[in-house]
Amino acid sequence: MATSSVSKGCFVFKPNFKKRKISVPIEDYFNKGKNASEDSKLRFETYQLIWQQMKSETERLQEELNKNLFDSLVEFLQTSHSGLWKNSKDWSCEIKLREIPTAALVLGVNVTDHDLTLRSLTEVLQNNVTPYVVSLQAKDCPDMKHFLQKLVSQLMDCKVDVQSKEKESVQVIQKNVHYSMDSLSAWYMSVTQKTDPKMPRKKRTSSSQWQSPPVVLILKDMESFTTKVLQDFIIISSQHLHEFPLILIFGIATSPVVIHRLLPHAVSSLLCIELFQSLSCKEHLTTVLDKLLLTTQFPFKLSEKVLQILTNIFLYHDFSIQNFIKGLQLSLLEHFYSQPLSVLCCNLPEAKRRIRFLSANQCENIRRLPSFRRYVEKQSSEKQVALLTSDKFLKEETQSLLENLHVYHKNYFLVLRCLHQFTSSLPKYPLGRQIRELYCMCLEKSIWDSEEYASVLQLLRLLAKDELMAMLQNCFKLFQSSSGKELGNTAKRIEEFLAQFQSLDETKEEEDTSQSQSKGLQKTDLYHLQKSLLEMKELRSTSKRQTKFEVLREQVVSFVDSLVREYLLPPDTQPLHETLYFSSAHTLRQHLNAAPRIALHTALNNPYYYLKNEALRSEEGCIPNVAPDICIAYKLHLECSRLINLVDWSEAFATVVTAAEKMDANSVTSEERNEIIHLQCSVY
Amino acid sequence: MTSTLELKADKMLKVQFVGDDDVLNHILDREGGPKIKKERAQLLVNTQKIIKKPENELEEDDQEVLKDHNYVEVLGQDVQESLKNGSATDGGNKVYPFQNRKHPEKMAKLASELAKTPRKSVSLNMKNDPKITIDIPQCSKGHSSSDKSQLKNNDKSEFLSTAPRGLRKRLIVPRSHSDSESEYSASNSEDDEGVAQEYEEDTNEDILSQKIQAQNREVSAPVFRETPSKKMKREKTSHLVEKYFEAHSSSKVLTSDRTLQKLKRAKLDQQTLHNLLSKVSPSFSAELKQLNQQHEQLFHKWMLQLHLGFNIVLYGLGSKRDLLERFRTTMLQDCIHIVINGFFPGISVKSVLNSVTEVLDHVGTFRSVLDQLEWITNKFKEVWDHAKQSLYNWLWYETTTYSHYTEETSYENSLLVKQSGSLPLSSLIHVLRSLTPNARGIFRLLIKYQLDNQDNPSYTGLCFQDFYQQCREAFLVNSDLTLRAQLTEFRDHKLIRTKKGTDGVEYLLIPVDNGILTDFLENEEEEL
């Protein structure tokens, strides 16, 4: 083998230079796979297009979500030092000058996303506040020396574009000499003075209106820094603050309390801390889902299980938006890779155009779709024949079906949001607090058959008027904003409901006054009092059933119910849904959330699972003695505690194997020995 | 408590399926039979009890746990759908059980059981079925102990019926004096020899062996009555928590005293081992080939995903080296790529980086596909933690191959194969022959001293002064200098090693296995 050697473990392979120029385009890999079939090129292009759109959309979302945070951060940074510098001569500011302005940035537990956030923060800061932005990680700074070393080297890199090459080389030499706050501030003075005249020329730094831009130091993972390093650095730099305008940004994953746990009062009093809270990752996920999946903007959809797996990985494993999006990308890729009809997964006009050019094979593919077959079965016999024989008719029908599917989605999401308005604030959240939970349920089955839905209706019937009106108002806004024609009617109806509630207010007031008048009880004897009280009670109970409000409320509930039943049909009832929905959840799970240990266990315990040989078939818990040696050895080793006696083990092994095949004893034992050793290597 | 238990036991007795074996036992031995049956029933009850507890906890812990349950369900939902992925078949509970302290005989027992489950396993299935159906609902609730005790049950019945005599003998003997469990296991090696031969005789089942079994049962039944009850007591009070502590109590671990030296089988050297192994034809080659072909069909997909910014991890049992090599040769010929053998003992970050830079120096236009080889270890999770994992876009592919880890382990030394690095017996004899009788005497002194001290774990070697004294007394040397000269010669032949102790005194040590030294001495004495 080319990659085995006694002397080295790394092998580099380079193709011939001539060969390399004919590198295979990626599309080729796309169509050479097992589904070497229709329209693969088109499919791949569509994949790339949609993925690009989704990616830019997520990036835009990210930016949008971070905007608030970054804006306030930038504002804080700009004010923190500029104010000080203006009247730095002022004695009253002397004390304040000792305090390092610090932004404590609570980023949440999704550590894996922090990098991205902090990177874009760095970019924003460099564009708006100061060119000197340095970010450090705890693992780079085990002690003060390394801390300063990293700081200095990164700081000098910040200014590389301004300085000439020679100076750089000089500084490289300096770098190696010593690192101290003194040298750092000296460097800072020299740089700011030198670059001052150049400043106006540079667009980037022109925004920093004060003469010496501050140095921003981002500590990415505040929690993992050693206390001593942090303390020392803060104390030292606070001494130098007047000549080295430092601003700290702490990236905190847990809670701001950690600052006080890490730093004693003497140190933390040197900091002027302001707290910033980033958006929680759950909210982030909700927005991403909202903008990527709960929209007609992208034709690609996830089935219930896939969505479930992705959200579960998010909620139970890492809280990482990036991983979620990566999972989304994988499902997109898988969808286009494995489903030939995914060509139709694009915007409607384009899809209609593509249908016209579908090959005969693809038409067959359509006919084979389960959802389409179900649809055909419902048609009249003539239409059935036409659908199954004439490609032209099929294409026309497909076009209309696809159009229906798009309309269905349009209505679906509107009604879903509407229903979410009603359910999201109910006590105990029978249909989930987040819209994604509701969405999952609606994807899975007809929601109105579920118990939860019934309880939702029950709860809705108990709502007070103002709550109900607020919900209706929200829904009204939802429907109004949409341009859907079919649901335009519903907006009107909601408006009517609202008006009726309004009018109810007035009539009720009248009723109230009339009731209060009649309520004035005259002095009577006990018997009459009881009698009149009873009458009133009856009156109240009957009137309760009859109030206009309750009638109206009932109407609203049944209206919502009818909406749900009409528009929230699960997607698998729709013909051609396979073209848009990615449903093979197990591939996704296999690739994203693999369980190597369980795979090992299965392979060792149940070899039949992989090697479909009848001799290996056995019931749970025991393996036949003809199984691969390693399986037997493993099975035997399970019977031991942490220490194992090799002799016992090999003897037991030999017993099993000799029983299986009467072989030359010597070779068996040697085999077994080898096997045992291999197992040792692999297991321990 | 006990009364209810017994009540339950009675109920269970009614449910219990009476297998052929039991009927046979009943006929052959009236006294032993019912007792055993009763115990078995109790054991069954016991498992139920254990299982019930976690269930109650479940209810108490309420929704959170239920949610977890849901989660597991969702993730495990597609078992039926996925034909290829083995990872879904078993729940985690079987993969991560607590390690019980087990008796060393357990393994032998299981071996005998496995040995006698050749193709007729179907009939065995029949026998075990009823018990299993009783247990299944609980199994699914997710508790490992049910399987465990199930296994125990099976063990016992099987053992009683048809375990090979030799092995059984071994099982019974230590039992009889296993009262002193606290110590390291009593020596039970005397009656081990010839186990295999006896066993062979035993395999042909006839009336005679059945008689022997009947006799044996009389011996074994009372023994077994003890142990299950003991176990039961323990299990009654214990559940997961205690199992945890049991698994982690690092106190005495029972090991048997059989050692490799006592096997009396000539150690093979690397070459003969290789030859022997090459003669053994791999089983299920057709199936393995098919498995490999399935994996190879994915090559194109891998390439696609690699190009789209994903990285790929292969996992599963068996060496993936051949597969990767094929992937490399078929798909990566036109790309620059690096192969890193993680199992290579001298691998370092530097060497990896070196090869990366080697690539980059020459290229500049085309980024290489970095094909990470990842060998499966138990420490996999430790190697890639969450944060690091997220830096790579890992896609997991299961590629179980059952291939041997031949190349990967080739750098490891085996205990059972002769070490070429150390001195084998033959070369020891050879070197010593070329020495003067005096020198041989000196060396023998050192050997004897070392062997006398072989049980002393803190033995560092023989101090030079003492050695000199001993040599003088044996009239082997007459001066300090002659001994030193002799020692230098030994050292040149790598027969001894010297170490400076903390007090500055030289200590002499023979870097050869004690077993070889014993053999050597025996050899010498024979010659004399």
Side-chain angles (χ1 to χ4, degrees):
Chain A
M1 219 182 271
T3 55
S4 54
S5 149
V6 238
S7 57
K8 61 175 192 170
C10 294
F11 305 87
V12 177
F13 294 94
K14 275 180 273 187
N16 297 331
F17 275 87
K18 289 174 200 165
K19 260 190 179 176
R20 207 196 315 148
K21 277 166 194 161
I22 334 158
S23 65
V24 191
I26 312 172
E27 296 100 277
D28 282 16
Y29 296 118
F30 197 83
N31 54 37
K32 267 191 213 159
K34 62 173 177 184
N35 282 336
S37 69
E38 309 301 313
D39 305 322
S40 56
K41 193 157 177 265
L42 198 57
R43 255 155 59 202
F44 185 67
E45 279 164 8
T46 326
Y47 157 76
Q48 286 205 311
L49 185 75
I50 293 185
W51 172 236
Q52 279 312 321
Q53 286 171 352
M54 280 184 153
K55 208 172 140 194
S56 54
E57 178 73 18
T58 51
E59 275 160 12
R60 200 184 58 77
L61 278 177
Q62 205 114 34
E63 229 166 76
E64 214 170 78
L65 290 173
N66 285 331
K67 197 169 176 295
N68 269 336
L69 176 72
F70 288 174
D71 281 352
S72 50
L73 252 176
V74 165
E75 199 188 337
F76 165 74
L77 294 183
Q78 278 174 342
T79 52
S80 61
H81 264 293
S82 61
L84 292 179
W85 280 102
K86 268 174 203 159
N87 35 6
S88 56
K89 303 270 159 59
D90 203 343
W91 280 105
S92 63
C93 282
E94 196 71 349
I95 301 164
K96 225 191 169 188
L97 204 56
R98 281 287 176 84
E99 288 183 353
I100 309 170
T102 305
L105 191 56
V106 182
L107 290 165
V109 286
N110 50 335
V111 187
T112 41
D113 289 341
H114 289 182
D115 245 14
L116 201 72
T117 318
L118 289 177
R119 222 180 299 148
S120 47
L121 174 67
T122 312
E123 213 171 278
V124 168
L125 291 183
Q126 277 178 340
N127 287 335
N128 297 317
V129 184
T130 166
Y132 308 107
V133 183
V134 179
S135 46
L136 290 181
Q137 264 180 313
K139 79 168 182 233
D140 297 333
C141 319
D143 52 32
M144 200 59 199
K145 191 186 156 212
H146 285 96
F147 191 101
L148 282 177
Q149 196 174 334
K150 279 274 165 194
L151 177 63
V152 170
S153 62
Q154 279 202 39
L155 257 184
M156 306 214 165
D157 284 347
C158 288
K159 267 303 191 181
V160 155
D161 50 339
V162 184
Q163 277 145 7
S164 63
K165 292 277 176 191
E166 298 144 53
K167 276 173 198 158
E168 206 185 319
S169 62
V170 172
Q171 268 159 355
V172 169
I173 298 160
Q174 277 180 343
K175 250 188 246 171
N176 296 333
V177 182
H178 65 297
Y179 308 96
S180 68
M181 240 15 226
D182 278 329
S183 64
L184 204 59
S185 47
W187 167 85
Y188 179 76
M189 290 301 268
S190 71
V191 167
T192 43
Q193 273 163 16
K194 252 182 244 163
T195 52
D196 258 349
K198 289 179 196 167
M199 280 276 226
R201 269 199 295 155
K202 285 205 55 135
K203 275 182 195 166
R204 196 222 243 168
T205 42
S206 62
S207 57
S208 50
Q209 61 278 55
W210 58 90
Q211 54 169 147
S212 33
V215 175
V216 177
L217 173 61
I218 303 174
L219 302 180
K220 282 182 179 172
D221 40 356
M222 161 87 175
E223 280 97 337
S224 16
F225 275 92
T226 22
T227 340
K228 199 171 172 307
V229 172
L230 264 185
Q231 288 177 16
D232 288 354
F233 179 75
I234 289 169
I235 292 169
I236 294 171
S237 51
S238 82
Q239 298 292 326
H240 288 265
L241 200 60
H242 56 284
E243 46 189 16
F244 188 71
L246 183 77
I247 301 179
L248 290 173
I249 296 180
F250 292 156
I252 296 171
T254 50
S255 86
V257 188
V258 82
I259 298 175
H260 297 287
R261 206 177 303 146
L262 279 174
L263 306 172
H265 182 70
V267 177
S268 61
S269 65
L270 295 172
L271 302 174
C272 171
I273 303 173
E274 195 156 325
L275 197 65
F276 295 91
Q277 184 93 37
S278 80
L279 199 68
S280 90
C281 50
K282 276 188 192 172
E283 280 170 55
H284 197 156
L285 177 75
T286 313
T287 0
V288 167
L289 275 178
D290 205 52
K291 289 286 189 286
L292 290 185
L293 292 177
L294 300 176
T295 168
T296 46
Q297 193 189 346
F298 302 105
F300 176 69
K301 298 278 176 294
L302 296 178
S303 78
E304 184 257 338
K305 274 182 194 165
V306 175
L307 187 62
Q308 200 68 291
I309 281 177
L310 284 180
T311 45
N312 275 337
I313 290 175
F314 176 84
L315 290 174
Y316 290 89
H317 287 260
D318 49 14
F319 288 114
S320 164
I321 298 293
Q322 274 178 290
N323 277 349
F324 183 84
I325 288 165
K326 177 188 133 194
L328 200 61
Q329 186 194 1
L330 182 67
S331 13
L332 190 69
L333 177 63
E334 277 289 325
H335 180 62
F336 279 97
Y337 185 80
S338 54
Q339 173 61 264
L341 282 172
S342 55
V343 224
L344 303 181
C345 185
C346 53
N347 57 33
L348 189 58
E350 175 66 18
K352 278 184 168 175
R353 199 183 62 79
R354 283 181 190 179
I355 287 173
R356 264 181 271 143
F357 297 108
L358 282 185
S359 66
N361 247 337
Q362 284 284 53
C363 289
E364 267 319 297
N365 280 334
I366 292 180
R367 286 185 187 117
R368 255 181 249 132
L369 287 182
S371 67
F372 186 75
R373 271 195 294 199
R374 250 176 279 142
Y375 170 75
V376 171
E377 276 159 23
K378 281 181 203 147
Q379 304 305 313
S380 63
S381 56
E382 299 140 42
K383 206 176 171 187
Q384 278 185 7
V385 173
L387 278 175
L388 293 179
T389 51
S390 155
D391 279 0
K392 190 162 170 280
F393 188 70
L394 177 82
K395 282 179 186 175
E396 278 166 19
E397 191 68 19
T398 315
Q399 280 186 341
S400 72
L401 282 177
L402 214 58
E403 198 170 336
N404 285 346
L405 198 59
H406 278 257
V407 172
Y408 158 80
H409 276 135
K410 213 176 253 175
N411 297 335
Y412 188 93
F413 292 121
L414 264 180
V415 175
L416 186 76
R417 279 170 215 274
C418 169
L419 181 62
H420 181 63
Q421 286 298 337
F422 282 101
T423 59
S424 59
S425 54
L426 290 177
K428 280 194 175 178
Y429 312 102
L431 284 176
R433 200 183 311 201
Q434 303 282 349
I435 194 163
R436 61 159 192 272
E437 296 166 68
L438 185 65
Y439 183 46
C440 267
M441 282 189 216
C442 293
L443 282 179
E444 193 189 355
K445 57 184 181 199
S446 311
I447 184 98
W448 53 87
D449 290 336
S450 66
E451 277 175 40
E452 289 91 348
Y453 183 74
S455 72
V456 160
L457 290 187
Q458 211 95 63
L459 287 169
L460 282 180
R461 288 193 184 102
L462 298 173
L463 278 180
K465 198 180 80 179
D466 43 350
E467 285 174 301
L468 203 59
M469 276 181 75
M471 286 174 184
L472 279 175
Q473 219 110 42
N474 285 337
C475 288
F476 180 62
K477 275 179 210 154
L478 263 179
F479 283 113
Q480 232 178 6
S481 62
S482 79
S483 53
K485 293 161 207 160
E486 285 195 25
L487 285 167
N489 210 9
T490 49
K492 252 179 226 162
R493 280 208 64 185
I494 294 175
E495 207 175 4
E496 278 169 29
F497 277 130
L498 280 171
Q500 277 173 320
F501 275 118
Q502 217 81 51
S503 63
L504 204 68
D505 262 349
E506 290 151 23
T507 51
K508 205 182 181 185
E509 270 165 33
E510 282 167 25
E511 265 175 36
D512 278 352
T513 48
S514 65
Q515 261 192 353
S516 63
Q517 276 174 355
S518 67
K519 256 180 202 166
L521 287 169
Q522 294 112 355
K523 254 189 179 177
T524 44
D525 55 2
L526 196 65
Y527 172 74
H528 278 281
L529 184 66
Q530 275 183 336
K531 201 180 173 188
S532 57
L533 279 175
L534 264 175
E535 272 172 10
M536 273 173 68
K537 202 178 165 190
E538 265 170 41
L539 195 81
R540 215 174 290 152
S541 63
T542 48
S543 71
K544 227 179 196 172
R545 252 179 250 143
Q546 286 166 349
T547 47
K548 279 186 183 171
F549 165 67
E550 276 170 355
V551 174
L552 207 52
R553 185 165 63 184
E554 189 58 44
Q555 276 176 1
V556 171
V557 171
S558 59
F559 167 68
V560 171
D561 188 39
S562 67
L563 269 187
V564 167
R565 279 168 200 268
E566 191 176 349
Y567 294 108
L568 282 189
L569 295 160
D572 47 9
T573 56
Q574 303 297 314
L576 294 185
H577 73 269
E578 288 96 335
T579 56
L580 306 185
Y581 280 82
F582 173 67
S583 59
S584 80
H586 69 271
T587 28
L588 201 68
R589 190 173 107 77
Q590 201 178 322
H591 293 331
L592 291 180
N593 195 17
R597 201 162 166 176
I598 293 178
L600 271 184
H601 182 82
T602 317
L604 288 168
N605 257 334
N606 186 10
Y608 177 73
Y609 194 86
Y610 291 97
L611 312 167
K612 303 282 179 204
N613 189 312
E614 283 307 310
L616 291 176
R617 197 186 263 287
S618 67
E619 101 266 16
E620 182 99 345
C622 74
I623 51 171
N625 50 19
V626 289
D629 299 326
I630 193 166
C631 300
I632 295 171
Y634 175 75
K635 195 80 196 166
L636 291 172
H637 120 278
L638 279 183
E639 290 306 309
C640 282
S641 50
R642 265 171 294 174
L643 294 180
I644 192 161
N645 184 314
L646 272 181
V647 182
D648 285 350
W649 197 6
S650 46
E651 259 176 21
F653 181 84
T655 321
V656 177
V657 175
T658 41
E661 34 193 311
K662 306 269 186 280
M663 269 176 63
D664 175 35
N666 198 22
S667 80
V668 169
T669 45
S670 62
E671 160 99 0
E672 130 232 335
R673 284 171 175 184
N674 199 33
E675 214 55 57
I676 286 163
I677 285 129
H678 287 216
L679 197 79
Q680 263 185 318
C681 299
S682 62
V683 173
Y684 297 111
Chain B
M1 186 77 176
T2 46
S3 64
T4 51
L5 250 174
E6 272 168 26
L7 256 173
K8 270 188 185 171
D10 284 344
K11 274 179 197 165
M12 292 309 295
L13 267 174
K14 280 169 200 162
V15 182
Q16 180 136 25
F17 180 81
V18 183
D20 289 357
D21 260 13
D22 295 350
V23 176
L24 200 76
N25 290 344
H26 207 71
I27 298 164
L28 283 175
D29 187 357
R30 284 192 177 180
E31 288 164 48
K35 271 180 204 165
I36 293 160
K37 234 189 270 175
K38 200 176 178 186
E39 278 155 17
R40 203 182 291 166
Q42 278 174 343
L43 258 178
L44 272 175
V45 173
N46 215 2
T47 59
Q48 277 185 335
K49 258 188 65 76
I50 293 166
I51 290 145
K52 265 176 195 163
K53 271 185 184 168
E55 266 183 323
N56 290 337
E57 281 169 6
L58 251 181
E59 280 163 29
E60 281 163 18
D61 278 350
D62 212 37
Q63 288 208 317
E64 275 306 304
V65 185
L66 276 174
K67 269 181 193 166
D68 286 353
H69 203 74
N70 268 342
Y71 158 69
V72 172
E73 254 174 30
V74 169
L75 288 188
Q77 245 167 7
D78 318 294
V79 182
Q80 272 77 26
E81 288 173 50
S82 70
L83 279 169
K84 265 200 67 218
N85 187 7
S87 30
T89 43
D90 280 319
N93 49 353
K94 270 171 222 155
V95 191
Y96 308 98
F98 286 123
Q99 282 193 322
N100 282 356
R101 193 119 37 98
K102 288 157 183 162
H103 294 282
E105 297 83 30
K106 260 280 160 110
M107 191 160 63
K109 228 194 275 178
L110 185 76
S112 63
E113 182 193 327
L114 287 176
K116 57 157 277 305
T117 51
R119 282 115 235 182
K120 65 175 179 180
S121 60
V122 188
S123 64
L124 272 170
N125 289 356
M126 295 284 286
K127 228 187 288 170
N128 292 337
D129 259 347
K131 274 182 266 169
I132 285 161
T133 45
I134 291 169
D135 269 340
I136 276 169
Q138 292 130 359
C139 285
S140 61
K141 291 268 157 61
H143 198 279
S144 60
S145 71
S146 62
D147 304 299
K148 277 282 155 53
S149 45
Q150 175 65 38
L151 203 84
K152 273 176 210 155
N153 269 339
N154 284 348
D155 276 359
K156 203 168 51 157
S157 60
E158 236 97 52
F159 162 68
L160 282 177
S161 54
T162 43
R165 190 156 61 96
L167 279 168
R168 193 177 329 119
K169 198 169 153 198
R170 223 173 82 188
L171 301 183
I172 293 159
V173 171
R175 288 274 184 206
S176 54
H177 47 90
S178 69
D179 299 357
S180 55
E181 264 190 0
S182 55
E183 284 173 43
Y184 281 86
S185 78
S187 67
N188 42 11
S189 46
E190 309 91 71
D191 41 13
D192 267 353
E193 287 164 32
V195 162
Q197 290 94 318
E198 278 182 73
Y199 156 72
E200 295 238 331
E201 288 169 4
D202 233 359
T203 40
N204 354 330
E205 288 183 25
D206 49 13
I207 312 153
L208 202 138
S209 71
Q210 276 185 2
K211 266 183 195 168
I212 296 168
Q213 275 170 28
Q215 284 172 353
N216 270 341
R217 197 174 300 110
E218 279 184 341
V219 186
S220 59
V223 175
F224 268 103
R225 200 172 19 161
E226 246 176 54
T227 43
S229 65
K230 206 194 285 173
K231 253 178 209 149
M232 223 176 70
K233 237 184 254 166
R234 204 191 295 157
E235 279 177 354
K236 224 186 270 177
T237 47
S238 78
H239 44 87
L240 279 176
V241 182
E242 288 198 8
K243 277 199 149 188
Y244 173 84
F245 284 113
E246 197 185 329
H248 287 260
S249 65
S250 55
S251 63
K252 300 138 214 157
V253 181
L254 287 170
T255 53
S256 81
D257 63 344
R258 284 182 288 276
T259 57
L260 289 172
Q261 262 80 34
K262 289 188 187 169
L263 258 182
K264 298 274 180 196
R265 193 174 273 142
K267 280 194 176 183
L268 309 154
D269 63 27
Q270 202 81 44
Q271 195 54 45
T272 40
L273 180 70
H274 251 281
N275 292 342
L276 278 172
L277 280 180
S278 58
K279 277 182 215 156
V280 180
S281 60
S283 47
F284 308 112
S285 49
E287 284 84 359
L288 285 175
K289 206 175 160 195
Q290 206 187 343
L291 210 59
N292 266 323
Q293 273 168 356
Q294 277 175 15
H295 297 324
E296 273 170 47
Q297 279 168 5
L298 293 170
F299 280 179
H300 273 282
K301 208 170 169 185
W302 291 358
M303 274 314 275
L304 177 72
Q305 282 163 342
L306 284 173
H307 272 289
L308 293 175
F310 291 102
N311 287 309
I312 287 172
V313 185
L314 307 182
Y315 68 96
L317 180 69
S319 169
K320 288 151 245 11
R321 207 178 133 72
D322 288 336
L323 189 70
L324 279 172
E325 183 67 18
R326 249 171 290 138
F327 178 61
R328 198 181 70 72
T329 45
T330 52
M331 306 303 290
L332 296 178
Q333 277 311 300
D334 296 335
C335 318
I336 296 164
H337 55 279
I338 302 173
V339 176
I340 299 161
N341 289 340
F343 52 83
F344 185 72
I347 197 96
S348 66
V349 182
K350 202 171 170 242
S351 59
V352 175
L353 289 178
N354 275 345
S355 40
V356 174
T357 46
E358 191 187 331
V359 167
L360 293 178
D361 279 346
H362 293 263
V363 190
T365 50
F366 199 84
R367 274 295 301 198
S368 68
V369 179
L370 229 158
D371 206 14
Q372 291 274 354
L373 299 177
E374 184 54 57
W375 302 109
I376 304 300
T377 61
N378 272 348
K379 290 179 181 166
F380 192 87
K381 291 273 167 198
E382 289 165 40
V383 177
W384 307 103
D385 63 7
H386 262 305
K388 277 179 201 148
Q389 252 182 48
S390 68
L391 292 181
Y392 304 86
N393 262 344
W394 288 128
L395 288 184
W396 299 70
Y397 272 93
E398 180 169 356
T399 50
T400 299
T401 59
Y402 285 101
S403 318
H404 298 283
Y405 289 93
T406 324
E407 175 72 27
E408 289 91 318
T409 52
S410 63
Y411 298 102
E412 303 291 331
N413 285 322
S414 162
L415 267 181
L416 300 156
V417 179
K418 265 190 213 166
Q419 303 300 307
S420 50
S422 67
L423 278 174
L425 185 58
S426 60
S427 49
L428 196 65
I429 293 168
H430 187 75
V431 172
L432 263 287
R433 286 244 174 86
S434 66
L435 296 177
T436 59
N438 263 11
R440 256 183 277 170
I442 294 171
F443 194 67
R444 207 178 305 131
L445 262 182
L446 193 56
I447 290 177
K448 274 181 184 154
Y449 188 81
Q450 185 159 335
L451 288 180
D452 288 344
N453 283 293
Q454 64 179 333
D455 292 331
N456 180 4
S458 59
Y459 173 73
T460 50
L462 177 55
C463 138
F464 179 79
Q465 283 307 323
D466 294 351
F467 191 34
Y468 176 58
Q469 207 56 44
Q470 286 183 22
C471 289
R472 265 185 79 104
E473 281 162 15
F475 300 109
L476 290 169
V477 291
N478 51 10
S479 81
D480 191 331
L481 278 180
T482 33
L483 181 60
R484 282 205 185 275
Q486 201 57 63
L487 288 182
T488 316
E489 196 177 348
F490 287 160
R491 209 174 296 140
D492 290 345
H493 286 292
K494 292 192 174 126
L495 287 177
I496 60 164
R497 229 174 32 204
T498 49
K499 238 194 279 178
K500 274 258 165 66
T502 44
D503 45 358
V505 186
E506 258 186 304
Y507 287 99
L508 307 168
L509 198 69
I510 307 173
V512 178
D513 196 54
N514 283 336
I516 293 177
L517 290 183
T518 326
D519 290 349
F520 174 73
L521 277 188
E522 280 171 13
N523 223 342
E524 285 270 279
E525 269 149 34
E526 274 170 30
E527 277 183 26
L528 292 174

